[in-house]
């Protein structure tokens, strides 16, 4: 399940939805990002962390509150947690926990740890925040759109962008919160890519990329999807919007997410 490894970064990719869990190791700390999915996958990540941490401090970072991204929290519950203030204050914690339990029940899964909503120690509330922990410097940006409580994290000195559920090469934008906010967040990625020397962009699902042109392509494809779907809806051409998701590998399974988007767009456009 290790999709990528270098001196500082290890990406574990789940068999489910190509979901990425990331571990960043420096001389001083181990940072674990969205450790997830199947019980044995979370165990593998947990064992990896505890085998390699030695004297180092361990931190957990959550990109947003979707249940698939926080379900591994209980396996690391004694470490410090970084997430947005909005995630900390999420009003739907119980329903997110219920989604994890429903998922586990439906596949007869048992876990060796307790399912809990993350207890956030370091919360990111400003539009932009910097934070230094040990030998890592974090640059955080609020990233609402997909959900309300997402953050983008730039990690230096490695030039890593942790994108959360944006800029996937396997999914079109899944918009649960707001398409305007989603577009604003995409603009932030544009300026981040210009402003920093980015070596690697890691999305929540799908393939990471080291290629600046590919990063820009993913941004513009996301923008195009949103603008084109909205335009077609305004022209009363809903059926044609389905053509826009045909190019993805799993269009049948993804149709329901496109349908959620259509419902949200229509509400936003007052159609
Ligand atoms: Zn996700």
């Amino acid at each position: 399940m290790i999709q990528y490894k270098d001196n500082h970064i290890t990406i574990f990719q789940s068999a489910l939805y190509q979901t990425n869990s990331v571990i960043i190791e420096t001389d001083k700390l181990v940072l674990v990002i969205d450790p997830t999915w199947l019980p044995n996958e979370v165990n593998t990540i947990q064992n990896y962390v505890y085998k390699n941490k030695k004297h180092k401090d361990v931190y957990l970072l959550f990109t947003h509150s979707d249940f698939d991204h926080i379900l591994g929290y209980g396996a690391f519950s004694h470490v410090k947690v970084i997430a947005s203030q909005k995630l900390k204050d999420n009003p739907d914690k119980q329903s997110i926990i219920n989604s994890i339990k429903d998922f586990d029940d439906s596949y007869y899964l048992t876990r060796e740890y307790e399912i809990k909503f993350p207890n956030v120690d370091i919360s990111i509330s400003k539009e932009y925040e910097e934070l230094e922990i040990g030998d890592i410097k974090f640059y955080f940006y609020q990233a609402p759109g997909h959900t309300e409580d997402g953050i983008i994290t730039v990690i230096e000195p490695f030039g890593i962008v942790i994108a959360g559920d944006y800029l996937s090469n396997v999914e079109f934008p899944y918009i649960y919160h707001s398409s305007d906010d989603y577009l604003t967040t995409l603009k932030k990625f544009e300026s981040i890519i210009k402003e920093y020397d980015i070596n690697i962009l890691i999305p929540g699902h799908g393939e990471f990329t080291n290629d600046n042109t590919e990063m820009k392509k993913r941004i513009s494809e996301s923008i195009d999807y949103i603008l084109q779907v909205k335009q077609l809806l305004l022209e009363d051409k809903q059926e044609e919007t389905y053509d826009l998701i045909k190019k993805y590998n799993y269009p049948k399974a993804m149709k329901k997410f496109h349908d959620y988007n259509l419902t949200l767009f229509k509400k936003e456009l007052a159609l």
Side-chain angles (χ1 to χ4, degrees):
M1 84 189 264
I2 291 182
Q3 193 205 23
Y4 173 80
K5 185 161 180 57
D6 66 20
N7 287 340
H8 297 288
I9 308 168
T10 309
I11 304 176
F12 289 86
Q13 189 174 79
S14 171
L16 297 183
Y17 303 100
Q18 302 182 24
T19 314
N20 295 320
S21 303
V22 184
I23 294 176
I24 294 167
E25 293 165 82
T26 68
D27 291 339
K28 298 202 169 133
L29 60 113
V30 180
L31 174 69
V32 184
I33 302 163
D34 292 357
T36 195
W37 265 129
L38 295 166
N40 64 319
E41 294 176 331
V42 176
N43 284 351
T44 302
I45 297 168
Q46 188 188 29
N47 290 338
Y48 178 95
V49 170
Y50 286 103
K51 202 176 101 201
N52 291 289
K53 78 179 256 337
K54 298 178 188 109
H55 58 281
K56 298 174 194 175
D57 288 331
V58 179
Y59 286 81
L60 256 182
L61 169 72
F62 291 107
T63 58
H64 62 297
S65 66
D66 275 351
F67 87 90
D68 53 326
H69 294 260
I70 62 135
L71 61 75
Y73 168 64
F76 299 90
S77 58
H78 300 297
V79 311
K80 283 223 162 65
V81 173
I82 307 168
S84 71
Q85 182 71 38
K86 284 246 162 73
L87 183 145
K88 186 176 182 169
D89 299 338
N90 193 304
D92 299 319
K93 287 176 186 166
Q94 193 52 50
S95 70
I96 294 167
I97 294 302
N98 292 344
S99 301
I100 300 172
K101 292 186 170 160
D102 289 349
F103 174 82
D104 285 358
D105 286 353
S106 63
Y107 292 101
Y108 305 167
L109 299 177
T110 51
R111 296 182 187 270
E112 290 166 15
Y113 59 88
E114 199 190 334
I115 304 294
K116 293 186 280 192
F117 193 88
N119 208 339
V120 179
D121 300 291
I122 301 171
S123 52
I124 310 304
S125 57
K126 297 197 194 102
E127 170 50 37
Y128 166 74
E129 281 191 40
E130 295 178 14
L131 176 70
E132 213 170 323
I133 305 176
D135 43 5
I136 288 186
K137 189 136 191 210
F138 296 83
Y139 301 85
F140 297 105
Y141 296 81
Q142 299 297 327
H146 168 66
T147 58
E148 198 185 358
D149 56 11
I151 41 171
I152 304 166
T153 310
V154 178
I155 298 169
E156 295 286 25
F158 311 109
I160 302 167
V161 187
I162 301 297
D165 276 2
Y166 295 92
L167 308 187
S168 168
N169 65 323
V170 288
E171 291 173 348
F172 52 84
Y174 289 7
I175 308 169
Y176 309 143
H177 172 57
S178 150
S179 68
D180 286 335
D181 284 356
Y182 201 109
L183 288 166
T184 307
T185 294
L186 291 171
K187 291 279 168 204
K188 284 181 204 173
F189 279 110
E190 265 175 10
S191 32
I192 287 167
I193 286 163
K194 268 190 212 137
E195 196 179 321
Y196 299 85
D197 200 1
I198 298 302
N199 295 314
I200 184 166
L201 180 143
I202 308 172
H205 304 265
E207 283 170 31
F208 67 89
T209 178
N210 305 110
D211 177 10
N212 209 269
T213 310
E214 168 69 15
M215 295 173 202
K216 288 183 192 148
K217 182 176 155 235
R218 292 189 192 186
I219 295 170
S220 63
E221 281 181 350
S222 292
I223 295 173
D224 288 350
Y225 167 85
I226 295 171
L227 297 182
Q228 286 176 23
V229 173
K230 281 186 166 184
Q231 186 55 38
L232 287 166
L233 286 175
L234 285 169
E235 292 168 11
D236 203 14
K237 293 176 180 162
Q238 178 164 324
E239 273 317 301
E240 289 176 36
T241 68
Y242 292 95
D243 295 339
L244 298 171
I245 67 166
K246 279 186 184 151
K247 66 177 176 179
Y248 294 94
N249 285 342
Y250 311 98
K252 256 194 198 159
M254 290 173 159
K255 181 180 169 288
K256 75 171 182 198
F257 295 100
H258 181 69
D259 287 333
Y260 294 151
N261 287 346
L262 293 181
T263 305
L264 181 94
F265 290 161
K266 283 189 213 164
K267 211 163 111 193
E268 290 176 340
L269 296 165
L271 290 173

